[in-house]
Amino acid sequence: MNQLPSRIRTDVLAGLTTSFALVPECIAFALVAQLNPLMGLYGAFFICTITALFGGRPGMISGAAGSMAVVIVALVAQHGAQYLLATVVLGGLLMALFGLLRLGTLIRMVPHPVMLGFVNGLAIIIAGAQLEHFKTGGHWLQGAPMLLMAGLVALTMALVWLLPKLTRAAPPALVAIAAVGLLAALMDLPTRTLGDMAHIAGGLPALHLPAVPFTLETLRIILPYAVLMSLVGLLETLLTFNLTGDITGTEGQANRECVALGGANVVSGLFGGMGGCAMIGQTMINLGSGGRMRLSGVVAGAMMLLFILFLSPWIERIPLAALVGVMFVVAQQTFAWGSLRVLGKVPRHDALVIVAVTAITVATDLATAVLCGIVIAALSFAWQHARDIGADIDDGEPGVRSYRPRGTLFFASTARFQELFAPADDPARVVLDCRHLRLADHSAIAALDALRERYAKAGKRLELVHLSERCSALLLRAGAEV
């Protein structure tokens, strides 16, 4: 009980630190999507707060994410922001439906190498996105401005790394941002600030339905974008969900997280905010600052609204270099450096998955990368199991040959399975002992039927014995002979 005030203090400070990192990301993503920056900030407020209150994993941070912003650029350019809001609402309904149908547990099917590739890819993206702050008007900073920017970034990173060795009284990222901001203000350093990106002052968000015609034509326009947004958002959220569990060692509720994220997107769309999902960089900042309870996410979300309503003059004076330095540290801490050491030790197909998912995440988008990683892993798994099938032959009983196959019979192993038998050379009676054989799919049933036909054409009889209850039921359901 005595630890509760300390726990609350830690979570409040963690949420405050995270909120500073949310602001530039949400503004940048809104600008990428060609939207008013306030839409990104409103979206961050609703999505962060609602998922923190009702989600399935305390400590996770959600907001207006870049992976979803990229998806809707074409929609905004062709049809305007109101169609985006309708898409966010529909996408949120699809996310909630995904959770209500209890499909969130499908994330367990994502292999660990895909997780490593996802983490590494996003770490590279986080670091790469910060390089834009070293440019102005599309050109790299030169001379003194570049040196000043680089120096403040390096100072911020040094403070974040060194401060935990001296004290843990406050989150190092928060201290670093405050210290660099104070230094820039006292010395009147000519460095870019958050206010140079956009002005964030605004009023309370107002509830209103998206101003679009409620027709089938509108649905035809927004549905593809809503499906893509929901898939990308759910993937990034559930992968971050797993990563958070690994870091905190806690159990979570994946389906509840999906429903909460869907509801948050619906509310955000109805109040004029962008869509969003879990943000791995901000989640890492929150966890690294000690945030473990729902309070940290609620504080981070609530601070976004306070920034808009009351604190914009102060927040706009924060040097971009301080936030860039924090995000560089986040990228360094997010990257799974251990995966580089094990590349030569794990099976080659796992190493291929790690590298491929990392590269595809950076080059395209998360959904494509994870899908490709799962396909590569599944094909590798199928190839390995297809090669593992074999059989022992017993000619102990006169006039009878017994085959004892072992392994899994499925679409990839049927050809090798057929090669195990020689109907032309076998005696008139052949027994197939299936006690160590597992039938996995319809291809397995077709393979057994084909084997029976081969023996029938040779004028010989094939008997199946010791089928498991599951395999017998599979054959009976398909109308095959048992």
Side-chain angles (χ1 to χ4, degrees), residues 108-403:
R108 296 172 184 170
M109 296 180 65
V110 176
H112 186 63
V114 175
M115 278 291 299
L116 291 176
F118 153 76
V119 168
N120 291 348
L122 284 189
I124 293 171
I125 290 174
I126 290 170
Q130 308 314 309
L131 298 180
E132 292 299 316
H133 298 303
F134 288 84
K135 298 179 181 179
T136 180
H139 301 286
W140 291 97
L141 296 173
Q142 301 291 331
M146 173 61 87
L147 290 175
L148 179 60
M149 182 74 175
L152 292 177
V153 168
L155 175 61
T156 304
M157 295 174 68
L159 288 172
V160 175
W161 279 326
L162 297 175
L163 207 61
K165 298 178 181 179
L166 302 176
T167 178
R168 293 187 177 273
L174 178 61
V175 175
I177 292 171
V180 173
L182 186 61
L183 175 67
L186 292 177
M187 299 185 65
D188 196 22
L189 297 177
T191 185
R192 297 177 68 210
T193 64
L194 194 55
D196 293 327
M197 290 185 70
H199 294 295
I200 64 173
L204 285 170
L207 173 64
H208 64 86
L209 290 175
V212 298
F214 289 88
T215 62
L216 289 177
E217 177 62 19
T218 299
L219 182 62
R220 184 191 66 79
I221 293 171
I222 67 173
L223 182 59
Y225 291 99
V227 171
L228 189 55
M229 280 184 67
S230 61
L231 287 176
V232 171
L234 287 169
L235 267 175
E236 186 160 354
T237 296
L238 291 174
L239 290 172
T240 305
F241 180 93
N242 275 2
L243 180 64
T244 305
D246 292 340
I247 293 172
T248 61
T250 58
E251 293 293 328
Q253 301 175 61
N255 294 311
R256 177 175 174 177
E257 187 67 36
C258 295
V259 174
L261 180 65
N265 274 274
V266 170
V267 173
S268 179
L270 292 175
F271 278 88
M274 282 178 62
C277 61
M279 303 178 73
I280 187 171
Q282 282 66 24
T283 297
M284 293 296 290
I285 290 176
N286 186 52
L287 297 177
S289 301
R292 291 294 185 274
M293 300 192 304
R294 297 185 184 277
L295 179 61
S296 59
V298 173
V299 169
M303 288 304 299
M304 301 299 287
L305 188 59
L306 291 179
F307 293 160
I308 296 169
L309 297 178
F310 308 113
L311 304 177
S312 59
W314 294 94
I315 300 304
E316 289 177 5
R317 295 174 66 182
I318 294 177
L320 278 175
L323 300 172
V324 169
V326 169
M327 295 311 294
F328 272 141
V329 175
V330 168
Q332 174 263 320
Q333 294 175 344
T334 301
F335 194 92
W337 297 101
S339 64
L340 299 180
R341 294 192 293 271
V342 303
L343 279 179
K345 302 176 183 178
V346 299
R348 280 180 293 179
H349 59 270
D350 284 340
L352 173 63
V353 169
I354 294 172
V355 174
V357 173
T358 300
I360 297 170
T361 300
V362 174
T364 57
D365 59 73
L366 174 65
T368 303
V370 172
L371 179 61
C372 290
I374 292 174
V375 169
I376 294 171
L379 290 176
S380 300
F381 178 83
W383 176 254
Q384 293 295 324
H385 276 255
R387 295 172 59 190
D388 289 343
I389 197 164
D392 298 321
I393 301 175
D394 183 6
D395 292 327
E397 188 177 343
V400 179
R401 172 166 288 179
S402 293
Y403 286 88

